[in-house]
Amino acid sequence: MAPSNSSKKLTVLLVEADVIVRFALAQHLRTCAHTVIEVVSGTEARAVLLAGPAVDVVLADAQLAGDDNGFALAQWVRRHRKSIDVILTGTLAHKVQVACEFCVEGDRADHDAQGLTSSIQAMLAERKRRMRPAPKTAPATSKRKRN
């Protein structure tokens, strides 16, 4: 399910555990003049929805960890906040495609998605590179001449 009208400015509750993906998607949505509320888990999403800010759509990762997965959140929203649309995503490509469709439609959304996906993949690769343990080096051995 994708947004039906990309020209309407929405309040999006973005539920994504990965900070890099969440930041990039939120930044993209904000450049399109949407209001974005960022949370990490289903528990945080429910707390925001109960606190009362007007939310038009929940964009959530279906694969959130634990009992707080996206499916459980979607069921809760459909029971308690029936007027709010819920879009569950899985892969990085799908998350990006949905975010891009909030801004533009058709070929332009595909083009934007390719660029945004590349940017996110580069950031994820950099994080992975920085988190690699330092290579182990062999301890220096001293060679002494024996008399």
Side-chain angles (χ1 to χ4, degrees), residues 1-3 5-6 28 96-105 109-110:
M1 176 178 171
N5 184 0
S6 63
H28 181 76
V96 168
Q97 188 65 40
V98 170
C100 289
E101 288 174 2
F102 273 98
C103 297
V104 293
E105 296 176 357
D110 292 339

Side-chain angles (χ1 to χ4, degrees), residues 69-115:
N69 65 50
F71 296 104
L73 175 61
Q75 288 176 340
W76 185 91
V77 171
R78 289 185 180 127
R79 255 183 274 146
H80 300 282
R81 298 290 186 269
K82 294 175 183 167
S83 64
I84 299 174
D85 291 327
V86 178
I87 300 173
L88 294 179
T89 61
T91 65
L92 176 60
H94 187 234
K95 293 172 189 184
V96 168
Q97 188 65 40
V98 170
C100 289
E101 288 174 2
F102 273 98
C103 297
V104 293
E105 296 176 357
D107 292 341
R108 177 65 196 263
D110 292 339
H111 181 269
D112 287 357
Q114 290 172 355

Side-chain angles (χ1 to χ4, degrees), residues 13 15 41-43 45-46 49 58 60 64 67-78 86 88:
L13 178 57
V15 189
S41 68
T43 301
R46 281 191 292 281
L49 293 169
V58 174
L64 293 170
D67 294 336
D68 250 1
N69 65 50
F71 296 104
L73 175 61
Q75 288 176 340
W76 185 91
V77 171
R78 289 185 180 127
V86 178
L88 294 179

